[in-house]
Amino acid sequence: MAAPSSVSAATTASPLFLREHEVRRGVELLFFGYTRLTRAIDDGLAEHGLGRAHHRALYFIARQPDLTISELLKILAITKQSLGRVLTDLAEKALVETRTGVVDRRQKLLRLTAEGVRFEAQLFDALRTSLASAYAAAGQESVTGFWRVLEGLIPAEDKAMVIALQKDI
Amino acid sequence: MAAPSSVSAATTASPLFLREHEVRRGVELLFFGYTRLTRAIDDGLAEHGLGRAHHRALYFIARQPDLTISELLKILAITKQSLGRVLTDLAEKALVETRTGVVDRRQKLLRLTAEGVRFEAQLFDALRTSLASAYAAAGQESVTGFWRVLEGLIPAEDKAMVIALQKDI
DNA sequence: TTAGATACGTCAATATGGCTGCCCCATCTT
DNA sequence: AAGATGGGGCAGCCATATTGACGTATCTAA
């Protein structure tokens, strides 16, 4: 563990001595924050007969058009089978379409259809409303800290993937 | 990250001006951060043949001994049925015990057994390791911001419950 | 004291979203 | 030509959640 000084300066000694209370607080806020945020879109999904798994796929396809199946598998960290069902549903509802890869014809490039774009945007709006109000209430400095801590939770081997995601918007 | 100008101009910020990128970044970091943190304890749980649902119950009972069933239901926001199965499992494994309420004999007060305390502490240790290193890497100021944003994600009607949880440690 | 509300338990049926193991084909690489 | 890789699919299983209805014990208030 690095950089104990910044921590010891404030409330506690060193990370090793991090008080249980502070860790529990983080665990709980993450639990409530995450679950409440995801609940914000359940109704929108249910209207289309979809669940959260569908949204996760939809979201990352929206974020990175022409994503391949294997890239999406890495992001979601689920099995091919699980993703398969989800993508089948999304294709049947004409929210997602695939085309054969150009550089490698084995690959399938995933994209949202026009309707998929519309739907994802609608769901995203609910997320934006929740997150934006939390950001606004906390202030920009807090938002930066929020990002920083969360980045620290991502294991090194996954970090590149997350950074890459956030590069192109 | 990109130009905060629109946002920093609005530390008091009108959510309407929040850029999509900043919201997507939050959504993604929350997703990866939360899922990676919870994965940290999957192995420990699997050794006992338990899942994440069991851990959530275990965790909140550890946090608030003599919690009643209905209080726990409120916290977890699942149905009585779902919780029932989880608690049955935990009782069978002698990790949780109940006693009849003193002020209200209809209530069941939930507590960890000695073994339950030991087990929860072991799982908590994995969480602490992850979170503590993220805290240390980010610094105390960031941690405060992290908490602040997450608090903003909790709807008003749930906030009292969360605050109450965090009062007594 | 009795009627109704509350706390908890439990039934049956159902949905969702994960998993494993195994096998297939098409395509790329060497 | 051989093997690795990207993708698809089958069968079966498991964990976790849901709804709605109903039962019992206990508390509270008219």
Side-chain angles (χ1 to χ4, degrees):
Chain A
M1 295 193 221
S5 52
S6 53
V7 174
S8 54
T11 7
T12 64
S14 102
L16 290 177
F17 299 119
L18 263 177
R19 285 169 343 125
E20 172 165 341
H21 177 61
E22 297 178 297
V23 177
R24 293 220 180 258
R25 191 172 180 194
V27 170
E28 286 149 32
L29 288 176
L30 259 177
F31 169 69
F32 289 110
Y34 182 75
T35 59
R36 266 54 177 185
L37 181 67
T38 58
R39 248 168 236 169
I41 57 169
D42 282 351
D43 290 350
L45 286 165
E47 280 170 24
H48 288 244
L50 299 174
R52 289 179 192 173
H54 300 96
H55 176 250
R56 290 195 287 272
L58 210 55
Y59 180 95
F60 287 108
I61 296 169
R63 188 72 152 118
Q64 228 175 47
D66 285 340
L67 200 65
T68 67
I69 302 275
S70 65
E71 284 167 341
L72 186 50
L73 279 175
K74 248 174 233 153
I75 290 174
L76 297 175
I78 58 176
T79 58
K80 236 192 325 179
Q81 284 62 23
S82 301
L83 179 58
R85 260 175 320 180
V86 166
L87 289 180
T88 301
D89 293 346
L90 292 175
E92 271 169 10
K93 301 205 182 266
L95 297 170
V96 163
E97 62 189 4
T98 65
R99 29 187 119 170
T100 300
V102 210
V103 311
D104 184 336
R105 294 174 41 80
R106 290 172 303 177
Q107 296 181 328
K108 281 194 172 177
L109 308 183
L110 298 160
R111 271 191 173 274
L112 300 191
T113 62
E115 171 61 12
V117 169
R118 203 199 55 71
F119 182 46
E120 196 276 337
Q122 174 198 323
L123 294 175
F124 181 71
D125 232 56
L127 296 179
R128 168 161 43 209
T129 301
S130 296
L131 251 190
S133 99
Y135 279 3
Q140 181 61 37
E141 292 223 352
S142 291
V143 173
T144 305
F146 169 72
W147 287 335
R148 231 173 245 158
V149 172
L150 288 174
E151 277 165 3
L153 280 176
I154 301 173
E157 66 266 27
D158 296 345
K159 211 165 281 185
M161 175 187 69
V162 178
I163 304 292
L165 249 184
Q166 298 181 350
K167 252 181 192 155
D168 28 55
I169 281 203
Chain B
M1 182 208 51
S5 56
S6 58
V7 172
S8 59
T11 302
T12 48
S14 163
L16 290 178
F17 298 124
L18 270 172
R19 288 159 15 109
E20 171 165 342
H21 177 61
E22 297 178 295
V23 175
R24 293 218 181 259
R25 190 170 182 199
V27 169
E28 285 150 32
L29 288 175
L30 259 177
F31 169 68
F32 290 110
Y34 181 75
T35 60
R36 267 53 177 184
L37 182 67
T38 58
R39 247 168 237 170
I41 57 169
D42 281 352
D43 290 350
L45 285 166
E47 280 170 24
H48 288 244
L50 299 174
R52 289 179 190 171
H54 300 97
H55 177 249
R56 290 195 286 274
L58 210 56
Y59 179 95
F60 287 109
I61 297 170
R63 188 72 153 119
Q64 229 176 48
D66 285 341
L67 199 66
T68 67
I69 301 276
S70 65
E71 283 167 340
L72 186 50
L73 280 175
K74 248 176 234 154
I75 290 173
L76 298 176
I78 57 176
T79 59
K80 236 193 319 179
Q81 306 310 321
S82 301
L83 181 56
R85 257 171 318 149
V86 166
L87 288 179
T88 301
D89 293 346
L90 291 175
E92 270 168 10
K93 301 205 181 269
L95 297 171
V96 163
E97 61 188 4
T98 65
R99 27 188 119 171
T100 301
V102 209
V103 312
D104 185 336
R105 294 176 39 83
R106 289 171 305 179
Q107 296 180 328
K108 279 194 174 178
L109 308 184
L110 298 160
R111 272 189 173 274
L112 300 190
T113 61
E115 171 61 11
V117 168
R118 203 199 56 73
F119 183 47
E120 196 276 338
Q122 174 198 324
L123 295 176
F124 180 70
D125 233 54
L127 297 179
R128 168 162 43 210
T129 300
S130 296
L131 252 189
S133 100
Y135 279 3
Q140 181 62 39
E141 292 223 350
S142 291
V143 174
T144 306
F146 169 74
W147 287 336
R148 232 173 244 156
V149 172
L150 288 174
E151 276 164 5
L153 280 176
I154 301 173
E157 66 266 30
D158 297 344
K159 212 165 280 186
M161 176 187 67
V162 179
I163 303 292
L165 250 184
Q166 298 180 349
K167 251 179 191 160
D168 29 56
I169 280 201

